Amino acid sequence: MALASVGEPRDAIDARLAGADVVLPVEEDAVPDVEDLAAACSAAKLLAHRAALQRDVTRRAAHEVAGNASSVAMAAQLMSTEQPRRADQLLELAARGAQLAWDAGRCARSGAAPVTLVDVVAVLRSWCRSGDLHGVSSTLDPESAASAYVLADPVGFMRCMTAIFDSARASECTSIVAQVRHPPAGESVEIVLTDDGHGRPCDSTRDTALRREALGLAESVEFADDHGGGLSQSSRSDRRGTVTSLWLPAAHVEASSHPSPPSTAGDTDWAIARILEGIARRDPVERSLEALVAIMEQHLPHSVCSILLLDEATNTLRHGAGRHLPAPYRSAIDGVQIGPAVGSCGTAAFIR
């Protein structure tokens, strides 16, 4: 639930894009009526509950259909030698069931993620700034647009880019060149990634991606569809690589309304992108936490930061990350009790 100024329509738009189910208009600097606020909160909880229930039902239904489709496919394999015609019919039925299961699970995968302005050029510039990653060199084409904004779920966008990058790595490429095309009067922003891997034999759509079991790319296609865009993948004309094109509707913003980020923003975007990629790979949580601490210390000069984790079984706080903490201090606070007057961390956890 969100509050929006009556005289500021943009506030209401931003609130809905950020994921608010209910937007309550209020006068500027005014305190909303208690009953109206309570009713708005109740409505928001109800809508959120319904959405969560729908996602859960579709997820379970999709799993059930997928399991049945797999069983049909196994049965078809067993009878393929004795009754080939009937086996072919069952395999076709299984394929349709698998596609239906994928489509049914779309609601659960998409959810209601918040949407915000994303400068895809800045994200790709940060992505490529790392140089070689896992033996793959990433560069941004100098002919790319200076900036290009889209309205998108930022986490979903990074997952989409990670899936495309992983697909390129799977083709044994050594380099990826990224380019962003944004015509001045264009309705869409196009991101083109070209790698030098072994390429693909034909254009890839969601169906072919599913047949290849490339679920990451299939979900990337859904991400593009959900945002009003699209994704295609094809082999280069010289058959020495793959061209992946992702296009999203352009968000036309005034330069003055979206000032340039500070010089450290690029490094931060790159670091966050790598953290998200690590989460997608299921890296150890300690590695992700240390990366988050590094970002904190970058934005808080001369600071030493740390993250504590809750141990519910013992009602204590355990060391999670913070390699710059002095070892004796780190040992002293590891296992601190949660209570109303137990230092800064124990007290903060107690009062939430």
Side-chain angles (χ1 to χ4, degrees):
M1 195 276 290
L3 302 178
S5 300
V6 173
E8 295 292 339
R10 185 180 294 271
D11 285 354
I13 295 173
D14 290 342
R16 291 305 302 269
L17 290 175
D21 291 306
V22 175
V23 179
L24 182 64
V26 295
E27 296 290 343
E28 188 172 358
D29 299 327
V31 178
D33 182 81
V34 175
E35 292 184 358
D36 290 343
L37 190 59
C41 290
S42 298
K45 290 180 180 178
L46 175 62
L47 292 173
H49 173 73
R50 285 180 177 176
L53 182 63
Q54 182 183 20
R55 287 194 296 270
D56 182 62
V57 169
T58 54
R59 177 182 58 81
R60 288 188 286 111
H63 287 179
E64 184 70 22
V65 174
N68 292 339
S70 297
S71 299
V72 172
M74 291 173 60
Q77 293 292 341
L78 291 174
M79 62 186 302
S80 59
T81 55
E82 297 181 0
Q83 302 182 50
R85 185 167 176 274
R86 181 60 58 85
D88 290 341
Q89 292 175 338
L90 288 177
L91 286 173
E92 181 181 355
L93 180 63
R96 284 162 51 192
Q99 183 64 50
L100 178 61
W102 175 263
D103 292 338
R106 179 167 186 163
C107 178
R109 290 190 297 272
S110 299
V115 175
T116 186
L117 277 176
V118 177
D119 184 354
V120 297
V121 176
V123 172
L124 287 174
R125 184 178 294 115
S126 302
W127 189 286
C128 297
R129 187 170 295 179
S130 61
D132 289 350
L133 183 68
H134 304 297
V136 180
S137 172
S138 304
T139 56
L140 182 63
D141 192 316
E143 298 296 324
S144 294
S147 62
Y149 291 96
V150 299
L151 279 172
D153 164 23
V155 176
F157 179 75
M158 292 310 307
R159 286 176 178 168
C160 178
M161 299 307 301
T162 299
I164 297 173
F165 188 88
D166 288 344
S167 174
R169 282 195 303 173
S171 68
E172 301 178 350
C173 73
T174 60
S175 67
I176 300 175
V177 177
Q179 185 181 34
V180 180
R181 301 170 182 169
H182 186 204
E187 294 299 322
S188 64
V189 172
E190 184 179 18
I191 303 169
V192 181
L193 299 179
T194 305
D195 66 65
D196 62 352
H198 54 60
R200 291 187 178 277
C202 62
D203 289 351
S204 293
T205 63
R206 180 175 61 182
D207 294 338
T208 55
L210 279 172
R211 288 198 295 270
R212 298 170 194 277
E213 298 181 346
L215 297 183
L217 278 180
E219 291 185 356
S220 297
V221 174
E222 276 191 351
F223 167 84
D225 287 344
D226 289 342
H227 290 75
L231 185 147
S232 66
Q233 191 176 71
S234 59
S235 297
R236 284 168 43 175
S237 57
D238 57 6
R239 297 289 175 177
R240 295 183 179 178
T242 304
V243 179
T244 303
S245 178
L246 168 68
W247 60 94
L248 299 168
H252 300 285
V253 296
E254 298 289 341
S256 58
S257 66
H258 203 77
S260 300
S263 58
T264 59
D267 295 332
T268 302
D269 289 342
W270 170 84
I272 292 175
R274 291 296 169 259
I275 293 172
L276 291 172
E277 183 183 3
I279 293 173
R281 288 197 309 266
R282 292 177 172 78
D283 285 350
V285 67
E286 294 82 4
R287 186 181 305 173
S288 298
L289 294 180
E290 287 292 355
L292 285 172
V293 167
I295 296 177
M296 297 178 200
E297 293 179 340
Q298 177 185 357
H299 284 272
L300 297 171
H302 312 297
S303 69
V304 176
C305 301
S306 68
I307 294 176
L308 295 177
L309 302 178
L310 170 65
D311 185 341
E312 292 184 302
T314 61
N315 199 40
T316 59
L317 298 175
R318 292 291 181 180
H319 175 75
R323 65 182 64 185
H324 294 149
L325 282 179
Y329 181 77
R330 186 166 55 200
S331 299
I333 65 172
D334 186 27
V336 64
Q337 287 289 331
I338 296 175
V342 187
S344 58
C345 297
T347 305
F350 179 79
I351 64 175
R352 301 193 178 187

